[in-house]
Amino acid sequence: MKKLLCIFILLLSVTTFALQKSGIKEYDDLDLTKGEIVLYMDKEGTVIDDPSAAQYYRKSFGKKGSLYLFVDFYSYNDSPVAIFKSSDSKGIEKMDGKYVSYYPNGSLNNIGDVKDKEFNGKKINYENEKISSIVDFSHASMEV
């Protein structure tokens, strides 16, 4: 019985982090069990102090060059929400570079280039593990 329970727990932990590959080697090679929790967030993404009330939490994977690498996780199943980089040590004020987000089951939601917390360049959206649309934000202009 103990063996069966151990096997079940091992399989559960493996499937928890079975993410669809993004094609970004640095992100795909991350050991998601490592990293340091740097903050907790409520369902609106507001930083909170109470881990038991958190919908999400953020882990830092240290500084890579001039940017810190972060992964946000769903609190209820510990699977990644998003992987991104920031020059801010908590990832609150800035977000620059490649941004990858996931559905709770680990399949890709979108991949895009981000500058100052906004998509800047191509954003690829996924549904059912296939590309559903590509939006190019690099040529977008706003008219008032």
Side-chain angles (χ1 to χ4, degrees), residues 1-140:
M1 183 68 173
K2 285 183 183 180
K3 269 188 183 180
L4 186 59
L5 183 60
C6 287
I7 291 170
F8 177 73
I9 290 171
L10 179 62
L11 287 174
L12 184 61
S13 67
V14 170
T15 57
T16 300
F17 296 112
L19 295 177
Q20 183 180 352
K21 298 292 183 188
S22 68
I24 303 167
K25 184 171 175 34
E26 182 179 14
Y27 292 8
D28 291 341
D29 290 347
L30 271 177
D31 180 349
L32 299 175
T33 62
K34 299 195 187 284
E36 174 188 350
I37 296 176
V38 293
L39 56 83
Y40 298 92
M41 296 168 278
D42 64 16
K43 65 182 177 182
E44 284 85 31
T46 304
V47 176
I48 60 174
D49 293 328
D50 182 8
S52 66
Q55 297 290 314
Y56 310 99
Y57 63 92
R58 177 169 296 157
K59 280 186 176 182
S60 172
F61 287 82
K63 203 168 188 179
K64 313 286 185 189
S66 62
L67 299 173
Y68 294 89
L69 181 59
F70 296 100
V71 180
D72 287 351
F73 292 86
Y74 295 100
S75 293
Y76 77 95
N77 70 354
D78 297 318
S79 69
V81 176
I83 303 174
F84 64 95
K85 291 183 177 181
S86 174
S87 58
D88 170 9
S89 66
K90 299 251 181 180
I92 298 171
E93 300 299 322
K94 291 258 187 194
M95 188 183 293
D96 291 304
K98 290 290 182 188
Y99 176 88
V100 178
S101 69
Y102 298 91
Y103 292 108
N105 68 1
S107 63
L108 285 170
N109 182 353
N110 60 57
I111 299 173
D113 294 307
V114 177
K115 179 146 181 76
D116 295 326
K117 294 178 97 175
E118 292 187 12
F119 284 104
N120 180 17
K122 287 189 179 175
K123 176 184 172 202
I124 303 169
N125 298 304
Y126 293 82
E127 285 184 26
N128 301 318
E129 300 187 7
K130 294 182 181 168
I131 295 174
S132 62
S133 64
I134 299 174
V135 180
D136 189 348
F137 287 92
S138 58
H139 300 293

